[in-house]
Amino acid sequence: MSATTDRRPMSGTTSAGRVEIHDGAGWVPVCGYAELTPGRGVALLVGGEQVALYRDRTGEVYAVDNRDPFSGAYVLSRGLLGSRGAVTVVLSPMYRQAFDLRTGVCLDEETAPDGSPAVLRVWPARVRP
Amino acid sequence: MERTDGTDRVDGTDPIDGTGGFGDKDDLHGTDRMGDTDGTDREHLVLVGHGMVGQRFLEALFERSDATAGVPARRITVLAEEPRPAYDRVHLTSWFSGTPAEELSLCPPGFLDEHGIDLRLGDPAVAIDREARLVTTASGDRLRYDTLVLATGSYPFVPPVPGHDAEGCHVYRTIEDLEAIRAGAAGARVGAVVGGGLLGLEAAGALRAMGLETHVVEFAPRLMSIQVDEGGGEALRRKIEDLGVLVHTGAGTRAVTTDEDGRVSGMALSDGTGLAVDLVVFSAGVRPRDQLARDCGLPVGERGGVVVDARCRTADPAVLAIGECALAADGRVYGLVAPGYAMAEAAARELTGGTGSFTGADTSTKLKLLGVDVASFGDAHGTTEGALEVLYANSRAGVYKKLVIGADGALLGGVLVGDADSYALLRPLALSGSPLPAPPEQLVLPASIGAASGPVALPDEAVVCSCHNVTKGEIRAAVHEQGCASVPEVKRCTKAGTGCGSCVKLLGGIVAEELAASGVEIAKGLCEHFTLTRAELYEIVRVKGIGSFSRLIDEHGSLPGGEGCDICKPVVASLLAGLGNGHILDGEQAALQDTNDHFLANMQRNGSYSVVPRIPGGEITPQGLIVIGEIARDFGLYTKITGGQRIDLFGATVDQLPPIWRRLVDAGFESGHAYGKALRTVKSCVGETWCRYGVQDSVGLAIELELRYRGLRSPHKLKSAVSGCARECAEAQSKDFGVIATAAGWNLYVGGNGGMTPRHADLLAADLDRETLIRTIDRFLMFYIRTADRLERTASWLERLDGGMDHLRAVVLDDSLGICADLDELMARHVETYEDEWAATLADPERLRRFVSFTNAPGVPDPTIRFVAERDQIRPGPAPASALIAGPDLEVRAR
């Protein structure tokens, strides 16, 4: 299954579409596509875990962990989206590190202060009519 | 004890802004721990005189000692006549416009203690016994010395005309003199200044500012006869007369007449004129104070001055003399501070194992007299044989420029009146004798007619900064060898431009040239998405009326269609908001805001928010305090008083923000914009309403300013304060714009900063009435918003601004760029369209939608935001581990 091919909404379904996230067991509907502001994110509870869901200016959707590994606070959904070269990133609102939304990898620092790798879990996301 | 005004100084640190207050100055008076003998065999150095040069000498001595040896090799006693430590006599006149005496002090707090200097104020030396090496003081103390340094300065020359010592006659040299003039002016109507030199004109300006009809009487045929030539004197005279000062040149003072009580009643001039005056200030030059030296048999010059050699030693090797009391090796007595400093440094070198050398100094000067630029440099009077002159004069504009050119075509000197911008370039050219970079006529023409100038034309040995004696070669080295890539870095590294500041523009030119020459590309652009600066984007948005980020990045970005980033998006959001493009949470603008602006609150370390309602001027009713207290109690928030005189409520979750605002708005509060790059607060002291010392209603003005500028989006946060008197309890001089009340109105200071890099604000204008004050602040703020870089506070903006304060004054007071109408209109629109962002958000269900912890589970609070109790309030608990999932065992809020 390729999640990325499903990121873009099907034509004509933009306002009516809904977003689904794969929690490991199956696709879970989380919110309406129209509820997302281009360039920003929202926080979700998926199976008891906090997920940050974003929509970029081209219409694609991304989902990663909401927890910022550098501060330990659950705030990444409140970060701004940006681009580093061709890569779409989210910028942590706490200490401004950039995370690649396709891989979850932090582009500025390799490890978090607790020694763990600074990589976010990437949750497959798609837009359904 | 210093809180005699009944107000409380807020010295705490603002938790949001990190800006602290300033501590009080240390006691300047060192304790008398060193008597005549301290039981050691350390050499005893006695310095006679604690003026500017004396203080510089002490500093130079310790700078040298620090470098050569750890412990000072000698103990030092300073005998001072005046009742206060050394102060800045060059800027003495600023005392009249409200600069307190303490601020003029040149002796840093702790300096005397740190170096164990025994400063005896008000106890001058009265006799020297060179054989016994004893100095006797006025109080009768006798001090044995090993080395004696005379830095007694000079005294004002008062022509011995009849009546010269009558009541109502003054001189202009010390702070006490100024106090006497101010007291005398209170009951006077007409004042006359005898002497049309630099100090005389400053004194005339002070009398004029105190509301006196003012005359200047000058014996020479023109004003400032030493510095400028006839044409320059004429231009200066017209400018001075435009200010309402009556000028009499070629006129000597024959007598001062008095009434029956012996008080000044008039003056008789040599040209037959009689003036009815109540107050006379003599400013007819100074004479070296060499009486001590004469009395002990040291050789003095024919026209005064203790004779010294190039090492600043007198005929007695144990006695040195420096500054205005000395007759230097080149046979001249220097009345300027820069040569005095050079002598102080030479003497310090001489006494610390080096060899001092002072054989003469450049007497070029540039100053602003009553708002008129006057400069003279090199051979200003064309006395060199075969010298030719190139002139430019525009009587209507009050500009006069003369260059003196040698027979070989080299620049020898010149005079500039009314426009001295080219001084920084011309002076080093004249002193280095290098060939001119352009035909001389182009160097005196106004820029609009095609003046040519450029830093490349200067040779390496040309002195660019004369205050700190920094050459162009040293500036180039700072760029090429020490990697300085900006004017502030070069300033830090070389000290160039940190004195009077007149060379900063030239410095900027040199740095830019050198960077370009070494192939350094200066990335001026905002980020990878825009090669334009914030100021350029501002102009584009304004002129083209662009209303969206999408259009801006598509039409002007380096990657059309790109996503932007956390640098350019908030900048554009701020520009759009500042140029009147609607609520910051509407439409696409919502996506551009930094997280704090996005939620209209300040995110804290655990992801919770703090809420700061506006409390204009720091004035709040008891009922207002109760409401805030009740809200904090009901929502379980931590409360803290901020440095900006308001109350910060911490620990709110996203979903609590709207109900908290609801309660605040219902009680009449509104957003304090603590989250935005916008006006924060206008602090105030209680002012004349309550304080015994206040002279104006500082709280009233602070409230008016805060309500006027609330919500104004800017390149960075803006802080302000209003003090009700010169005691400055509101600390206005550490703010972006600060106002201090005077008896006559308001003084406006700009560009101050606290925080990590404190900067004292500069006086933009003095004694303004309320309307002019507000108009001036309007324009200052709008000009800053229009031209500053992203995250550039007014302090660093001002440091960078071409032409500095003079340019700023020209723009906002004289409309030199012709943009004031625009600036006024923009501010009027801001004031008209302001709305409270909290109330507007509460009124709009669409905007309220985002204030939930989880979009797919509205009503469920964020379980990871936990608090523990500390000192009867909440504080963030430990950050939850990444694996920890929401459970039922949540910490409860402390209630």
Side-chain angles (χ1 to χ4, degrees):
Chain A
M1 174 219 66
S2 164
T4 45
T5 53
D6 293 326
R7 284 179 198 279
R8 215 176 253 276
M10 288 176 192
S11 61
T13 62
T14 310
S15 51
R18 71 200 151 81
V19 182
E20 295 179 352
I21 284 182
H22 202 279
D23 67 357
W27 290 100
V28 182
V30 287
C31 65
Y33 182 72
E35 289 176 59
L36 301 177
T37 304
R40 289 220 93 101
V42 297
L44 304 168
L45 270 182
V46 179
E49 302 219 36
Q50 291 202 24
V51 178
L53 172 68
Y54 309 94
R55 167 180 164 183
D56 72 9
R57 285 186 65 216
T58 66
E60 289 202 34
V61 294
Y62 306 87
V64 293
D65 283 342
N66 192 29
R67 181 180 182 273
D68 167 30
F70 295 93
S71 61
Y74 287 71
V75 293
L76 288 183
S77 60
R78 300 176 216 159
L80 276 171
L81 292 200
S83 53
R84 286 263 181 106
V87 178
T88 301
V89 297
V90 62
L91 296 137
S92 165
M94 198 63 84
Y95 301 120
R96 311 267 165 202
Q97 291 90 351
F99 296 89
D100 183 338
L101 285 178
R102 293 189 176 259
T103 61
V105 173
C106 176
L107 302 179
D108 298 315
E109 290 171 62
E110 283 181 10
T111 49
D114 65 5
S116 63
V119 181
L120 307 174
R121 173 176 169 187
V122 179
W123 301 66
R126 66 181 184 186
V127 183
R128 292 271 108 176
Chain B
M1 178 188 130
E2 70 281 8
R3 291 180 188 167
T4 46
D5 53 1
T7 66
D8 193 11
R9 286 174 77 126
V10 181
D11 280 341
T13 301
D14 181 334
I16 299 168
D17 305 312
T19 305
F22 298 101
D24 289 309
K25 285 191 180 128
D26 292 341
D27 187 359
L28 292 174
H29 304 264
T31 48
D32 188 3
R33 23 173 180 175
M34 303 223 179
D36 181 24
T37 53
D38 66 349
T40 72
D41 51 4
R42 285 188 298 161
E43 281 198 6
H44 188 201
L45 186 151
V46 176
L47 170 66
V48 182
H50 196 220
M52 299 179 77
V53 171
Q55 173 65 20
R56 182 70 200 111
F57 167 73
L58 293 174
E59 288 170 10
L61 204 57
F62 288 108
E63 282 162 18
R64 301 260 318 158
S65 303
D66 289 352
T68 51
V71 192
R74 46 173 78 88
R75 64 199 178 85
I76 296 175
T77 305
V78 182
L79 302 177
E81 181 176 48
E82 290 189 58
R84 64 187 92 239
Y87 55 89
D88 185 354
R89 236 185 274 280
V90 172
H91 293 104
L92 193 59
T93 302
S94 70
W95 181 85
F96 278 116
S97 53
T99 304
E102 309 83 70
E103 203 166 289
L104 289 171
S105 176
L106 292 174
C107 193
F111 175 81
L112 300 168
D113 279 350
E114 186 190 329
H115 298 296
I117 297 169
D118 180 11
L119 170 63
R120 305 198 181 175
L121 294 171
D123 193 14
V126 293
I128 299 167
D129 179 344
R130 290 201 284 127
E131 208 148 304
R133 292 196 178 171
L134 279 177
V135 184
T136 308
T137 73
S139 68
D141 212 354
R142 287 153 67 83
L143 305 175
R144 194 176 300 277
Y145 65 82
D146 297 291
T147 307
L148 184 69
V149 177
L150 299 174
T152 45
S154 51
Y155 65 91
F157 169 68
V158 176
V161 296
H164 70 269
D165 51 359
E167 198 187 331
C169 286
H170 300 270
V171 294
Y172 199 91
R173 176 87 185 159
T174 66
I175 287 176
E176 283 66 34
D177 293 339
L178 267 52
E179 284 170 349
I181 291 171
R182 178 136 88 181
R189 200 182 60 77
V190 186
V193 176
V194 178
L198 160 59
L199 262 188
L201 294 182
E202 287 207 352
L207 295 188
R208 191 79 197 95
M210 287 186 289
L212 269 63
E213 179 187 317
T214 304
H215 297 262
V216 170
V217 180
E218 168 58 50
F219 183 73
R222 60 177 181 274
L223 295 172
M224 292 191 69
S225 57
I226 297 173
Q227 291 87 357
V228 306
D229 62 354
E230 204 182 320
E234 245 342 278
L236 182 59
R237 179 196 185 113
R238 264 191 301 275
K239 284 255 181 185
I240 302 285
E241 284 177 340
D242 284 349
L243 300 168
V245 173
L246 300 149
V247 180
H248 311 262
T249 50
T253 303
R254 197 166 277 162
V256 175
T257 55
T258 54
D259 60 17
E260 59 265 30
D261 299 331
R263 289 192 42 85
V264 169
S265 63
M267 282 172 74
L269 306 188
S270 61
D271 63 0
T273 316
L275 300 174
V277 300
D278 317 305
L279 185 145
V280 175
V281 178
F282 286 103
S283 179
V286 294
R287 299 285 183 272
R289 294 189 70 178
D290 53 13
Q291 196 59 42
L292 277 173
R294 286 172 193 270
D295 291 349
C296 69
L298 283 172
V300 296
E302 216 170 281
R303 282 186 290 166
V306 189
V307 176
V308 296
D309 61 15
R311 299 152 70 189
C312 295
R313 295 209 188 253
T314 67
D316 180 341
V319 183
L320 289 78
I322 54 177
E324 296 182 331
C325 69
L327 180 65
D330 64 345
R332 297 176 65 179
V333 173
Y334 288 93
L336 293 171
V337 73
Y341 279 0
M343 291 170 89
E345 277 155 29
R349 219 166 22 247
E350 181 69 17
L351 295 177
T352 49
T355 306
S357 172
F358 178 85
T359 53
D362 170 31
T363 53
S364 302
T365 36
K366 179 192 174 205
L367 40 104
K368 202 175 198 79
L369 268 180
L370 307 177
V372 185
D373 282 324
V374 181
S376 95
F377 56 95
D379 179 11
H381 295 289
T383 53
T384 309
E385 206 177 313
L388 302 167
E389 293 181 352
V390 176
L391 284 179
Y392 169 82
N394 178 347
S395 319
R396 201 167 55 86
V399 174
Y400 173 89
K401 300 182 188 181
K402 179 183 82 175
L403 298 185
V404 178
I405 310 292
D408 60 351
L411 180 65
L412 298 175
V415 174
L416 308 167
V417 175
D419 169 12
D421 282 355
S422 50
Y423 173 79
L425 171 71
L426 294 175
R427 187 191 53 83
L429 273 177
L431 301 186
S432 66
S434 47
L436 288 173
E441 58 273 19
Q442 279 193 33
L443 296 173
V444 290
L445 287 175
S448 55
I449 318 183
S453 66
V456 252
L458 286 174
D460 272 359
E461 59 276 14
V463 174
V464 172
C465 169
S466 52
C467 298
H468 291 283
N469 199 25
V470 184
T471 62
K472 182 182 171 194
E474 290 169 81
I475 293 165
R476 287 176 36 141
V479 173
H480 295 297
E481 286 155 33
Q482 302 181 55
C484 296
S486 67
V487 171
E489 284 173 46
V490 172
K491 275 177 154 182
R492 264 197 300 279
C493 183
T494 63
K495 280 187 157 180
T498 58
C500 70
S502 66
C503 65
V504 172
K505 199 168 179 178
L506 179 62
L507 190 61
I510 295 174
V511 172
E513 289 280 348
E514 295 306 321
L515 286 174
S518 59
V520 174
E521 189 134 330
I522 312 164
K524 294 196 313 168
L526 206 52
C527 62
E528 67 172 276
H529 306 102
F530 288 96
T531 53
L532 302 161
T533 64
R534 181 192 168 280
E536 289 164 336
L537 288 173
Y538 181 97
E539 291 306 320
I540 289 171
V541 169
R542 191 177 68 89
V543 174
K544 297 182 78 172
I546 289 178
S548 74
F549 179 78
S550 305
R551 201 182 138 198
L552 193 64
I553 196 169
D554 289 348
E555 292 179 15
H556 299 278
S558 37
L559 291 162
E563 188 65 42
C565 66
D566 63 334
I567 292 174
C568 57
K569 283 178 170 178
V571 166
V572 174
S574 159
L575 296 182
L576 296 177
L579 288 166
N581 293 288
H583 191 279
I584 67 164
L585 296 190
D586 275 354
E588 201 199 51
Q589 274 206 54
L592 305 177
Q593 308 294 344
D594 248 332
T595 190
N596 285 353
D597 273 304
H598 197 55
F599 289 96
L600 309 173
N602 291 53
M603 194 175 74
Q604 303 297 333
R605 63 182 312 133
N606 65 345
S608 69
Y609 285 86
S610 82
V611 175
V612 185
R614 186 168 298 292
I615 300 178
E619 184 183 83
I620 186 165
T621 62
Q623 187 52 37
L625 282 171
I626 289 168
V627 169
I628 290 179
E630 286 174 345
I631 294 170
R633 182 196 59 205
D634 295 350
F635 287 88
L637 305 174
Y638 169 84
T639 53
K640 174 123 183 27
I641 310 287
T642 72
Q645 300 186 337
R646 36 196 202 174
I647 300 170
D648 205 339
L649 312 172
F650 289 80
T653 53
V654 169
D655 39 287
Q656 284 179 319
L657 291 172
I660 291 172
W661 296 337
R662 177 86 270 156
R663 298 263 304 264
L664 286 168
V665 169
D666 286 348
F669 288 101
E670 61 179 7
S671 163
H673 291 101
Y675 47 81
K677 304 290 176 237
L679 178 79
R680 295 289 169 80
T681 75
V682 183
K683 270 174 74 170
S684 69
C685 66
V686 286
E688 68 165 354
T689 322
W690 292 91
C691 174
R692 284 176 291 147
Y693 301 101
V695 293
Q696 303 269 6
D697 175 16
S698 45
V699 180
L701 180 69
I703 293 173
E704 183 177 348
L705 294 180
E706 186 157 344
L707 295 181
R708 183 172 181 80
Y709 304 124
R710 62 185 167 183
L712 183 66
R713 300 286 157 169
S714 54
H716 210 315
K717 63 191 166 194
L718 286 168
K719 296 181 172 192
S720 178
V722 181
S723 278
C725 78
R727 284 174 177 75
E728 243 286 66
C729 293
E731 298 166 340
Q733 290 168 98
S734 66
K735 303 300 181 196
D736 293 285
F737 61 103
V739 182
I740 301 176
T742 68
W746 306 95
N747 283 357
L748 173 59
Y749 292 82
V750 298
N753 205 347
M756 192 165 65
T757 47
R759 183 183 189 275
H760 224 61
D762 291 315
L763 182 65
L764 178 63
D767 291 332
L768 302 173
D769 60 54
R770 207 174 173 106
E771 191 188 332
T772 315
L773 171 76
I774 289 173
R775 189 174 64 234
T776 309
I777 301 175
D778 283 358
R779 292 173 178 178
F780 163 73
L781 290 175
M782 278 304 175
F783 184 51
Y784 160 67
I785 290 171
R786 188 161 172 171
T787 56
D789 268 340
R790 162 185 177 266
L791 297 187
E792 186 174 43
R793 290 288 294 271
T794 57
S796 38
W797 170 74
L798 203 52
E799 289 280 332
R800 178 179 64 87
L801 193 66
D802 259 3
M805 281 301 287
D806 286 346
H807 178 60
L808 179 61
R809 275 193 204 100
V811 172
V812 301
L813 299 175
D814 308 330
D815 198 9
S816 62
L817 298 180
I819 57 170
C820 284
D822 276 2
L823 301 180
D824 292 347
E825 194 208 310
L826 281 167
M827 187 59 85
R829 195 160 80 200
H830 162 75
V831 174
E832 225 165 83
T833 56
Y834 166 83
E835 61 167 3
D836 172 26
E837 290 164 0
W838 289 350
T841 302
L842 290 171
D844 184 343
E846 186 53 33
R847 291 175 189 159
L848 278 175
R849 249 185 353 104
R850 84 179 48 150
F851 293 93
V852 292
S853 290
F854 302 105
T855 297
N856 64 340
V860 176
D862 182 349
T864 64
I865 296 195
R866 295 151 170 257
F867 297 95
V868 295
E870 183 176 86
R871 293 188 295 277
D872 300 327
Q873 297 207 68
I874 59 162
R875 56 156 292 160
S882 54
L884 190 92
I885 318 268
D889 58 336
L890 300 181
E891 296 270 357
V892 237
R893 286 170 170 276
R895 286 287 158 102

